Amino acid sequence: MIFKHKRKKIGLALGSGAARGLSHIGVLNGLGESGIAIDMIAGTSMGALVGAYYAKHLEVKGLEEIVLALDFKNILKLADPNFFFLFQGFVSGNKVEEFLKLLIGDIDFKDLKIPLWIIATDIQTGEEVIINEGSVVKAVRASISIPAIFTPVSHNGRVLIDGGIVNPLPANVLRQKGADFILASDVVKKPKSFSNVTSGQSLLTEKASAASKTVNEGVVKLSGNRDLFGSIKGFVKNFIDVKEIEERKGIPSIFETILNALYTMEYQVVKTTSQAADLIITPATDHIATLEFYRAREIVWQGYKACVEVVDKNKKQLSKITKCRI
């Protein structure tokens, strides 16, 4: 009697990572070329966006074309400042949500071709929220909402923010949902790769030094009431203290502080959640900054390259899992 073994269900976990998350596109391209079919996806933050696109189309070529066409100006257009409710977040996210609708479509989870779970964080309770019903766009918008930068999202009576806070690489979710074999694409930035000095801070120091020099030269040239000009010089120097700026060169900006704190936390969480994965693909993207989406071509390539290397190294194991056996 001939028995045909049922193919194992393969799950793919796509982690958070902002611009670095575009490497998930390359990973999916690599898996497709290798003949590895994905049965279910769990995604966080950018992983949620890429996962949602794939779950709808079962390919990411269209998404790749779109992101490769992005330049810095296009990206800035998506950042709609939130002046009225600034205390809730710097960016309202309305334009981002419109962009997501163009990418994914205004669809529900039930309309997707394979199961998808999107991870968000309940800011009021600190709980992990696994979304698998309702609006896909709303779920993705919640999952990408970096604290203090994007405004939180109200969803089913909860207030949600970036899922990376509680589960930046949701391989364990797939295990809970019945995946037999789990692949994970990990682009969480390692703390050792954080930059301590920004070009913006260097520029600030340079401009402050030049301004201070101009003030000093101007005061020296002026004649008359020395006490008056001495007071003006002292007053201006209180606002342009080059020594203090020099001392603060190694201190990151408010945005860097928020993001680096978030990445440090995510890195620690990934150590636990990644244990549920059978194979982890780690694209070399630590050198990519959070908002460098305009480097999409390089980022996607790193994902593809890492995927091909992992698949090639684990051919025997993957062939047993992905093919029907008689």
Side-chain angles (χ1 to χ4, degrees):
M1 188 174 181
I2 298 176
F3 294 93
K4 194 172 183 180
H5 294 273
K6 186 178 179 182
R7 185 176 68 80
K8 291 186 176 182
K9 289 183 179 179
I10 300 175
L12 176 64
L14 300 176
S16 60
R20 294 183 300 281
L22 295 179
S23 62
H24 299 322
I25 296 172
V27 169
L28 281 161
N29 283 337
L31 292 174
E33 286 184 11
S34 302
I36 300 173
I38 302 302
D39 299 297
M40 57 181 71
I41 291 178
T44 299
S45 198
M46 184 55 66
L49 192 161
V50 177
Y53 189 95
Y54 182 85
K56 179 186 176 183
H57 299 282
L58 295 185
E59 54 85 17
V60 285
K61 289 296 183 183
L63 178 59
E64 182 178 4
E65 290 176 6
I66 292 169
V67 300
L68 290 182
L70 286 176
D71 57 25
F72 195 67
K73 289 182 180 180
N74 295 140
I75 296 162
L76 285 178
K77 289 178 182 178
L78 296 176
D80 44 349
N82 181 38
F83 296 118
F84 191 69
F85 293 106
L86 190 60
F87 56 89
Q88 293 181 346
F90 291 104
V91 178
S92 71
N94 292 330
K95 288 185 178 179
V96 169
E97 193 163 329
E98 290 173 12
F99 181 62
L100 290 175
K101 286 180 180 178
L102 290 174
L103 278 180
I104 304 166
D106 194 7
I107 62 173
D108 284 2
F109 279 85
K110 59 182 175 57
D111 302 316
L112 298 173
K113 294 179 180 177
I114 61 172
L116 170 71
W117 291 272
I118 289 177
I119 315 304
T121 304
D122 187 320
I123 189 58
Q124 296 174 319
T125 65
E127 294 176 310
E128 175 183 23
V129 179
I130 303 172
I131 309 174
N132 184 238
E133 59 182 17
S135 168
V136 175
V137 165
K138 207 73 173 177
V140 172
R141 166 68 177 86
S143 190
I144 66 173
S145 298
I146 300 172
I149 296 179
F150 282 97
T151 56
V153 174
S154 295
H155 183 74
N156 291 338
R158 290 177 178 265
V159 180
L160 305 178
I161 58 172
D162 195 336
I165 294 173
V166 290
N167 199 342
L169 188 64
N172 59 328
V173 172
L174 293 169
R175 188 68 71 192
Q176 295 165 14
K177 301 302 181 181
D180 299 307
F181 188 86
I182 299 171
L183 294 162
S185 179
D186 178 14
V187 290
V188 173
K189 198 168 188 178
K190 313 302 182 290
K192 65 181 179 181
S193 68
F194 293 165
S195 174
N196 292 322
V197 183
T198 67
S199 57
Q201 287 171 321
S202 299
L203 184 62
L204 175 62
T205 302
E206 184 182 329
K207 287 185 175 180
S209 298
S212 181
K213 184 179 180 182
T214 301
V215 170
N216 286 331
E217 290 175 350
V219 171
V220 169
K221 290 178 181 178
L222 289 172
S223 58
N225 190 331
R226 292 187 178 182
D227 292 336
L228 173 62
F229 287 111
S231 298
I232 292 173
K233 180 180 178 181
F235 179 78
V236 173
K237 286 188 71 176
N238 284 334
F239 287 89
I240 310 176
D241 192 333
V242 178
K243 183 179 179 182
E244 182 179 356
I245 292 175
E246 288 286 348
E247 290 173 351
R248 290 177 174 270
K249 278 172 66 177
I251 300 176
S253 67
I254 183 172
F255 294 107
E256 286 180 302
T257 299
I258 293 170
L259 292 170
N260 286 356
L262 181 62
Y263 295 146
T264 300
M265 184 165 49
E266 288 184 354
Y267 182 69
Q268 297 303 321
V269 176
V270 164
K271 291 180 181 179
T272 301
T273 59
S274 63
Q275 292 177 14
D278 295 289
L279 281 180
I280 300 177
I281 300 166
T282 310
T285 56
D286 274 355
H287 62 290
I288 303 295
T290 303
L291 299 178
E292 290 185 329
F293 290 94
Y294 55 88
R295 298 176 68 178
R297 190 173 301 278
E298 175 190 355
I299 302 169
V300 172
W301 166 249
Q302 290 294 348
Y304 177 80
K305 180 183 175 185
C307 178
V308 169
E309 289 173 356
V310 169
V311 170
D312 188 60
K313 187 178 179 180
N314 299 274
K315 273 183 179 178
K316 290 183 179 180
Q317 182 185 13
L318 289 169
S319 63
K320 290 179 181 179
I321 293 160
T322 58
K323 294 179 181 179
C324 293
R325 296 179 293 174
I326 297 175

